[in-house]
Amino acid sequence: MTLHFLTSNYRVAFEEYFQPHQQRNAIDLLQGHIAEVRDGTEDRRRELDVLRPQDTTPEQVEDRVAAHLNKCYWQLAQFYRYSTPCRISEAEPALREVLRYSQAKGARRDVAPELYLAVAIHKVPEKEQEALSMFASAFDHFDEHGAPALGPRSELWARASWARLLRRVDRVRDAEAQERAIVDWIVSHPLVLPPAKLRDLVSDEADSGALNNIVEHPEVQLAVDKARAGRGTRG
């Protein structure tokens, strides 16, 4: 059995081509699969091709199932993020499972699920401090070591959520620093992301802050115009 809904191609299709009802169906499908693997018998897990023939001892079975569920939870979190409208707040349980698995395995630190979780909880008043700490720790690590797998879209999306949270708790200078980082990135990469995508990444309809007008920011407009003019000249 090919679990097509766990592939990267499916995730891209989910974001780029699926209609909202198709996205909801995909989430339901993946949630059902998670429940079936988590609660199913060993025979059923083998039917699903979760277990391999060499998985014979209880420890091997446990490790294989845990690794498979970790992949499922991370894919589910991405489905929530890329849903229309975004449903990232519903991804908290899945993301906590991803982080628990990483800590249990002693894996190399990956800040992507940390930042996803911080975004997922940053609007919950009683979890604001946890989100602030998570944003700060993850971005400190990212800024020091980099994280090629993170990608600019996730970076800008998470920084924007962090900036809005910082403003909500009256840490205006810290918020401005994150907003500045977003502008600087766009100015340095003016044609990487189209204006509509930039606006979707960093804006929030519940907020009327500066990031909602990122495409109209004078430095961003100037950088984009210069880059387009240069590309036209070379063409």
Side-chain angles (χ1 to χ4, degrees):
M1 178 184 295
T2 301
L3 300 176
H4 62 285
F5 49 83
L6 292 178
T7 64
S8 58
N9 286 341
Y10 191 90
R11 208 284 302 151
V12 172
F14 182 100
E15 178 190 2
E16 299 291 342
Y17 307 115
F18 282 19
Q19 297 300 310
H21 75 277
Q22 293 173 303
Q23 293 177 334
R24 291 192 296 271
N25 289 341
I27 287 174
D28 290 343
L29 176 67
L30 183 49
Q31 287 176 323
H33 177 74
I34 288 172
E36 191 171 25
V37 173
R38 185 188 60 223
D39 305 327
T41 64
E42 182 174 330
D43 286 343
R44 182 55 181 152
R45 290 166 172 171
R46 291 191 186 280
E47 290 174 3
L48 292 169
D49 285 342
V50 172
L51 298 178
R52 299 178 184 175
Q54 63 266 33
D55 298 325
T56 56
T57 69
E59 292 79 11
Q60 289 170 327
V61 168
E62 182 181 352
D63 287 349
R64 188 75 67 187
V65 170
H68 182 81
L69 286 174
N70 180 65
K71 184 176 183 179
C72 291
Y73 286 128
W74 179 234
Q75 186 80 319
L76 180 61
Q78 293 183 88
F79 284 178
Y80 280 129
R81 175 194 169 177
Y82 290 110
S83 288
T84 305
C86 182
R87 297 170 57 184
I88 189 62
S89 61
E90 297 176 56
E92 180 184 353
L95 289 165
R96 292 196 186 277
E97 291 293 340
V98 170
L99 291 175
R100 267 196 290 270
Y101 178 81
S102 178
Q103 291 164 1
K105 298 294 287 185
R108 181 180 177 184
R109 186 175 183 182
D110 179 3
V111 300
E114 297 178 38
L115 291 173
Y116 269 54
L117 179 55
V119 175
I121 66 174
H122 83 287
K123 291 184 178 181
V124 182
E126 61 269 26
K127 296 179 180 179
E128 284 182 344
Q129 289 307 311
E130 181 185 7
L132 286 167
S133 296
M134 194 168 292
F135 275 129
S137 175
F139 270 120
D140 281 349
H141 184 85
F142 173 73
D143 291 338
E144 181 177 354
H145 302 286
L150 181 60
R153 292 194 301 166
S154 290
E155 178 189 348
L156 299 180
W157 174 69
R159 283 195 191 277
S161 293
W162 188 17
R164 281 188 288 271
L165 175 55
L166 288 166
R167 283 192 177 275
R168 277 206 310 278
V169 297
D170 295 323
R171 290 172 54 182
V172 176
R173 288 188 178 180
D174 291 336
E176 290 173 341
Q178 296 311 313
E179 292 162 357
R180 182 73 250 173
I182 291 170
V183 170
D184 288 346
W185 189 95
I186 298 171
V187 168
S188 298
H189 310 82
L191 300 182
V192 170
L193 296 169
K197 182 69 72 174
L198 280 172
R199 186 178 285 107
D200 288 344
L201 284 175
V202 304
S203 66
D204 187 324
E205 61 183 17
D207 174 50
S208 58
L211 291 176
N212 278 19
N213 300 312
I214 191 69
V215 176
E216 288 76 35
H217 190 286
E219 292 178 51
V220 170
Q221 285 190 321
L222 179 61
V224 170
D225 289 346
K226 287 179 64 177
R228 286 175 175 169
R231 187 169 63 180
T233 300
R234 288 194 300 271

